[in-house]
Amino acid sequence: MTEQTSDPRTIVIFGAGGTTGKHAIRAARNAGFRVRAVDHTLPDTTSDDNLITHIQGDVLKDDLSDHVKGGDVVLSCLGVGNDPATLLDPPPLYTDGTSAICDAMEAQGVKRLIVMSASFVEEKNRGPLWFKIPAMTGLHLVFEQMGQMEAILRKRSGSIDWTAVRPGWLMEGEETRDYTVQADVIPEDMIRSRHADVAHFMVSLAQSGDWVHATPAIARDEPASASAPDKVLNEMLG
Protein backbone atom coordinates (compact mmCIF):
# COMPACT_ATOMS: atom_id res chain seq x y z
CA MET A 1 0.00 0.00 0.00
CA THR A 2 1.23 3.49 -0.82
CA GLU A 3 2.18 5.51 2.20
CA GLN A 4 0.49 8.89 2.33
CA THR A 5 1.64 11.96 4.22
CA SER A 6 0.06 15.35 4.64
CA ASP A 7 2.95 17.00 2.80
CA PRO A 8 4.85 14.41 0.73
CA ARG A 9 8.34 15.12 -0.51
CA THR A 10 8.75 15.58 -4.25
CA ILE A 11 10.98 13.36 -6.36
CA VAL A 12 11.78 14.41 -9.93
CA ILE A 13 12.47 11.50 -12.29
CA PHE A 14 14.18 12.10 -15.62
CA GLY A 15 13.87 9.33 -18.18
CA ALA A 16 10.57 8.42 -16.54
CA GLY A 17 9.24 6.81 -19.72
CA GLY A 18 11.97 4.17 -19.85
CA THR A 19 11.80 0.75 -18.23
CA THR A 20 13.72 1.70 -15.11
CA GLY A 21 11.96 5.06 -14.98
CA LYS A 22 8.52 3.46 -14.94
CA HIS A 23 9.57 1.20 -12.08
CA ALA A 24 11.01 4.24 -10.30
CA ILE A 25 7.66 6.02 -10.48
CA ARG A 26 5.99 3.03 -8.85
CA ALA A 27 8.69 2.66 -6.20
CA ALA A 28 8.58 6.38 -5.39
CA ARG A 29 4.82 6.36 -4.92
CA ASN A 30 5.07 3.25 -2.75
CA ALA A 31 7.55 5.19 -0.62
CA GLY A 32 5.13 8.11 -0.28
CA PHE A 33 6.79 10.59 -2.64
CA ARG A 34 5.00 13.04 -4.88
CA VAL A 35 6.36 12.26 -8.36
CA ARG A 36 7.26 14.64 -11.17
CA ALA A 37 7.92 12.36 -14.14
CA VAL A 38 9.92 13.99 -16.95
CA ASP A 39 10.46 12.39 -20.36
CA HIS A 40 10.97 13.56 -23.94
CA THR A 41 7.48 12.37 -24.83
CA LEU A 42 4.34 12.20 -22.74
CA PRO A 43 2.82 8.76 -22.08
CA ASP A 44 -0.20 7.67 -24.08
CA THR A 45 -2.03 6.79 -20.87
CA THR A 46 -1.59 7.95 -17.30
CA SER A 47 -2.82 6.76 -13.93
CA ASP A 48 -5.46 8.58 -11.93
CA ASP A 49 -2.96 9.16 -9.11
CA ASN A 50 -3.01 12.93 -8.54
CA LEU A 51 0.45 12.78 -6.93
CA ILE A 52 2.06 11.85 -10.25
CA THR A 53 2.61 14.67 -12.73
CA HIS A 54 3.95 13.92 -16.21
CA ILE A 55 6.05 16.62 -17.87
CA GLN A 56 7.48 16.69 -21.38
CA GLY A 57 11.10 17.75 -21.36
CA ASP A 58 14.27 17.24 -23.39
CA VAL A 59 17.46 17.19 -21.28
CA LEU A 60 19.55 18.03 -24.35
CA LYS A 61 17.54 21.08 -25.45
CA ASP A 62 15.45 22.52 -22.64
CA ASP A 63 16.08 24.67 -19.61
CA LEU A 64 15.25 22.19 -16.86
CA SER A 65 15.04 24.66 -13.98
CA ASP A 66 11.26 24.66 -13.78
CA HIS A 67 11.22 20.86 -13.86
CA VAL A 68 13.34 20.56 -10.70
CA LYS A 69 12.02 23.64 -8.91
CA GLY A 70 10.66 22.72 -5.51
CA GLY A 71 11.93 19.15 -5.80
CA ASP A 72 13.57 17.40 -2.88
CA VAL A 73 15.40 14.67 -4.80
CA VAL A 74 16.22 14.12 -8.47
CA LEU A 75 16.57 10.69 -10.10
CA SER A 76 18.06 10.24 -13.54
CA CYS A 77 17.01 7.02 -15.26
CA LEU A 78 18.20 8.29 -18.63
CA GLY A 79 19.35 5.65 -21.08
CA VAL A 80 20.02 5.05 -24.76
CA GLY A 81 18.61 2.38 -27.04
CA ASN A 82 20.64 -0.66 -28.05
CA ASP A 83 20.12 -0.48 -31.81
CA PRO A 84 23.45 -0.49 -33.72
CA ALA A 85 23.11 3.05 -35.08
CA THR A 86 22.60 4.48 -31.60
CA LEU A 87 25.44 2.46 -30.09
CA LEU A 88 27.82 3.64 -32.81
CA ASP A 89 26.96 7.28 -32.06
CA PRO A 90 25.12 7.52 -28.72
CA PRO A 91 23.50 10.87 -27.93
CA PRO A 92 25.19 12.69 -25.03
CA LEU A 93 22.41 11.94 -22.54
CA TYR A 94 24.79 10.92 -19.78
CA THR A 95 27.21 13.81 -20.24
CA ASP A 96 25.34 16.84 -21.58
CA GLY A 97 22.02 15.65 -20.16
CA THR A 98 23.42 15.14 -16.67
CA SER A 99 25.22 18.49 -16.85
CA ALA A 100 21.92 20.19 -17.75
CA ILE A 101 20.20 18.50 -14.81
CA CYS A 102 22.99 19.62 -12.47
CA ASP A 103 22.81 23.19 -13.81
CA ALA A 104 19.08 23.26 -13.11
CA MET A 105 19.54 21.80 -9.64
CA GLU A 106 22.19 24.34 -8.75
CA ALA A 107 19.99 27.17 -10.02
CA GLN A 108 17.09 25.97 -7.84
CA GLY A 109 19.10 24.93 -4.78
CA VAL A 110 18.25 21.22 -5.10
CA LYS A 111 21.15 19.09 -3.86
CA ARG A 112 20.31 15.36 -3.93
CA LEU A 113 20.85 13.55 -7.24
CA ILE A 114 20.83 9.81 -7.95
CA VAL A 115 21.80 8.68 -11.45
CA MET A 116 22.07 5.34 -13.21
CA SER A 117 25.49 4.35 -14.50
CA ALA A 118 26.90 0.82 -14.97
CA SER A 119 29.25 -1.51 -13.15
CA PHE A 120 31.09 -2.05 -16.43
CA VAL A 121 32.37 1.52 -16.27
CA GLU A 122 34.72 0.37 -13.50
CA GLU A 123 35.37 -3.26 -14.37
CA LYS A 124 34.70 -4.88 -17.73
CA ASN A 125 35.95 -8.28 -16.65
CA ARG A 126 32.58 -9.58 -15.48
CA GLY A 127 30.68 -12.54 -16.85
CA PRO A 128 31.66 -15.32 -19.27
CA LEU A 129 33.75 -14.65 -22.37
CA TRP A 130 30.79 -15.06 -24.74
CA PHE A 131 29.11 -12.19 -22.84
CA LYS A 132 32.09 -9.88 -22.44
CA ILE A 133 33.18 -9.75 -26.07
CA PRO A 134 29.88 -8.58 -27.66
CA ALA A 135 28.79 -6.49 -24.66
CA MET A 136 32.03 -4.56 -24.30
CA THR A 137 32.46 -4.21 -28.06
CA GLY A 138 28.92 -3.00 -28.69
CA LEU A 139 28.59 -0.78 -25.65
CA HIS A 140 32.05 0.63 -25.11
CA LEU A 141 31.05 4.12 -26.27
CA VAL A 142 28.09 4.11 -23.87
CA PHE A 143 30.26 2.94 -20.97
CA GLU A 144 32.85 5.57 -21.90
CA GLN A 145 30.19 8.25 -21.77
CA MET A 146 28.95 6.97 -18.40
CA GLY A 147 32.51 7.27 -17.09
CA GLN A 148 32.61 10.86 -18.31
CA MET A 149 29.29 11.47 -16.55
CA GLU A 150 30.74 10.22 -13.28
CA ALA A 151 33.72 12.54 -13.73
CA ILE A 152 31.30 15.44 -14.26
CA LEU A 153 29.49 14.54 -11.06
CA ARG A 154 32.71 14.40 -9.04
CA LYS A 155 33.48 17.95 -10.13
CA ARG A 156 30.04 19.01 -8.83
CA SER A 157 30.52 17.45 -5.39
CA GLY A 158 30.59 20.85 -3.74
CA SER A 159 27.04 21.63 -4.83
CA ILE A 160 25.46 18.25 -5.66
CA ASP A 161 25.05 15.30 -3.28
CA TRP A 162 25.23 12.74 -6.08
CA THR A 163 25.21 8.96 -6.18
CA ALA A 164 25.92 6.98 -9.36
CA VAL A 165 24.25 3.57 -9.12
CA ARG A 166 26.07 0.89 -11.10
CA PRO A 167 23.92 -2.08 -12.15
CA GLY A 168 25.06 -5.05 -14.18
CA TRP A 169 23.31 -6.20 -17.36
CA LEU A 170 19.72 -5.05 -16.91
CA MET A 171 16.79 -7.42 -17.20
CA GLU A 172 13.02 -7.48 -16.80
CA GLY A 173 11.37 -9.05 -13.77
CA GLU A 174 9.38 -8.18 -10.69
CA GLU A 175 10.91 -6.19 -7.86
CA THR A 176 12.54 -8.58 -5.37
CA ARG A 177 14.53 -6.34 -2.97
CA ASP A 178 16.75 -9.42 -2.78
CA TYR A 179 19.77 -7.84 -4.38
CA THR A 180 23.42 -7.37 -3.51
CA VAL A 181 24.94 -3.90 -3.15
CA GLN A 182 28.66 -3.31 -2.77
CA ALA A 183 31.09 -0.55 -3.63
CA ASP A 184 31.93 0.16 -7.26
CA VAL A 185 31.69 -3.25 -8.96
CA ILE A 186 29.16 -6.09 -8.97
CA PRO A 187 30.31 -9.48 -7.62
CA GLU A 188 32.35 -11.64 -9.99
CA ASP A 189 29.68 -14.35 -10.12
CA MET A 190 26.83 -12.00 -11.07
CA ILE A 191 26.05 -10.09 -14.27
CA ARG A 192 22.29 -9.38 -14.02
CA SER A 193 20.34 -6.58 -12.34
CA ARG A 194 16.57 -6.12 -12.53
CA HIS A 195 15.22 -2.76 -13.66
CA ALA A 196 12.70 -2.96 -10.82
CA ASP A 197 15.34 -3.64 -8.17
CA VAL A 198 17.56 -0.83 -9.44
CA ALA A 199 14.58 1.52 -9.24
CA HIS A 200 13.79 0.36 -5.71
CA PHE A 201 17.40 0.90 -4.65
CA MET A 202 17.53 4.37 -6.19
CA VAL A 203 14.36 5.41 -4.38
CA SER A 204 15.72 3.95 -1.13
CA LEU A 205 18.74 6.24 -1.54
CA ALA A 206 16.37 9.17 -1.91
CA GLN A 207 15.01 8.29 1.51
CA SER A 208 18.22 7.35 3.33
CA GLY A 209 20.86 9.68 1.95
CA ASP A 210 23.34 6.77 1.86
CA TRP A 211 26.20 6.42 -0.65
CA VAL A 212 26.63 10.17 -1.22
CA HIS A 213 29.53 10.91 -3.59
CA ALA A 214 29.90 7.18 -4.19
CA THR A 215 29.26 4.51 -6.84
CA PRO A 216 27.38 1.55 -5.33
CA ALA A 217 27.05 -1.48 -7.60
CA ILE A 218 23.88 -3.57 -7.58
CA ALA A 219 23.25 -7.08 -8.92
CA ARG A 220 21.26 -10.20 -8.10
CA ASP A 221 22.00 -13.91 -8.13
CA GLU A 222 19.53 -14.86 -10.84
CA PRO A 223 18.73 -18.36 -12.14
CA ALA A 224 21.15 -19.68 -14.75
CA SER A 225 18.44 -19.34 -17.40
CA ALA A 226 18.50 -15.55 -16.99
CA SER A 227 22.12 -15.50 -18.11
CA ALA A 228 21.91 -18.14 -20.83
CA PRO A 229 23.81 -17.16 -24.00
CA ASP A 230 20.75 -17.16 -26.27
CA LYS A 231 18.74 -14.97 -23.88
CA VAL A 232 21.43 -12.36 -23.23
CA LEU A 233 22.62 -12.19 -26.85
CA ASN A 234 19.03 -11.73 -28.05
CA GLU A 235 18.68 -8.83 -25.59
CA MET A 236 21.89 -7.28 -26.91
CA LEU A 237 20.57 -7.49 -30.44
CA GLY A 238 17.26 -5.92 -29.44
Side-chain angles (χ1 to χ4, degrees):
M1 178 179 294
T2 302
E3 299 173 12
Q4 298 290 348
T5 63
S6 57
D7 186 20
R9 299 173 72 215
T10 297
I11 191 167
V12 183
I13 303 175
F14 287 94
T19 304
T20 307
K22 291 175 181 176
H23 284 292
I25 292 173
R26 186 176 303 114
R29 286 298 299 121
N30 286 339
F33 283 97
R34 181 188 301 274
V35 175
R36 199 176 295 161
V38 184
D39 202 64
H40 58 88
T41 56
L42 293 174
D44 293 331
T45 60
T46 59
S47 74
D48 57 1
D49 187 338
N50 62 7
L51 291 184
I52 301 175
T53 303
H54 289 275
I55 299 171
Q56 188 169 11
D58 187 328
V59 298
L60 297 179
K61 297 179 180 179
D62 298 343
D63 182 343
L64 307 177
S65 295
D66 284 345
H67 300 336
V68 305
K69 184 177 181 180
D72 296 288
V73 185
V74 176
L75 263 60
S76 174
C77 299
L78 295 172
V80 300
N82 64 348
D83 59 283
T86 299
L87 296 180
L88 284 171
D89 186 21
L93 289 176
Y94 301 106
T95 50
D96 294 357
T98 300
S99 292
I101 291 171
C102 289
D103 288 343
M105 291 176 64
E106 290 173 346
Q108 296 295 338
V110 181
K111 292 188 65 68
R112 186 69 171 119
L113 172 64
I114 302 143
V115 307
M116 190 165 63
S117 183
S119 177
F120 307 109
V121 169
E122 178 85 13
E123 176 57 73
K124 296 179 174 60
N125 190 28
R126 286 292 182 272
L129 188 62
W130 63 260
F131 168 78
K132 289 184 287 189
I133 291 176
M136 302 314 146
T137 300
L139 294 168
H140 76 279
L141 292 178
V142 175
F143 295 146
E144 182 179 291
Q145 192 183 137
M146 287 177 170
Q148 295 169 355
M149 172 187 69
E150 292 184 3
I152 289 168
L153 292 172
R154 290 187 181 96
K155 291 180 180 179
R156 303 266 189 159
S157 293
S159 57
I160 303 290
D161 292 336
W162 60 268
T163 302
V165 175
R166 291 175 167 180
W169 189 260
L170 288 163
M171 62 178 283
E172 295 284 3
E174 295 298 316
E175 177 188 303
T176 70
R177 307 190 186 188
D178 178 30
Y179 47 78
T180 297
V181 177
Q182 61 183 39
D184 303 326
V185 184
I186 58 176
E188 290 188 16
D189 58 344
M190 299 181 190
I191 62 170
R192 305 306 313 248
S193 307
R194 296 189 180 204
H195 289 278
D197 283 338
V198 173
H200 174 266
F201 178 56
M202 293 175 77
V203 171
S204 76
L205 294 176
Q207 296 173 285
S208 69
D210 294 338
W211 294 96
V212 172
H213 300 155
T215 51
I218 172 175
R220 185 172 185 268
D221 185 12
E222 295 285 351
S225 60
S227 300
D230 58 340
K231 180 175 179 60
V232 176
L233 291 175
N234 283 337
E235 292 172 358
M236 288 182 187
L237 298 173

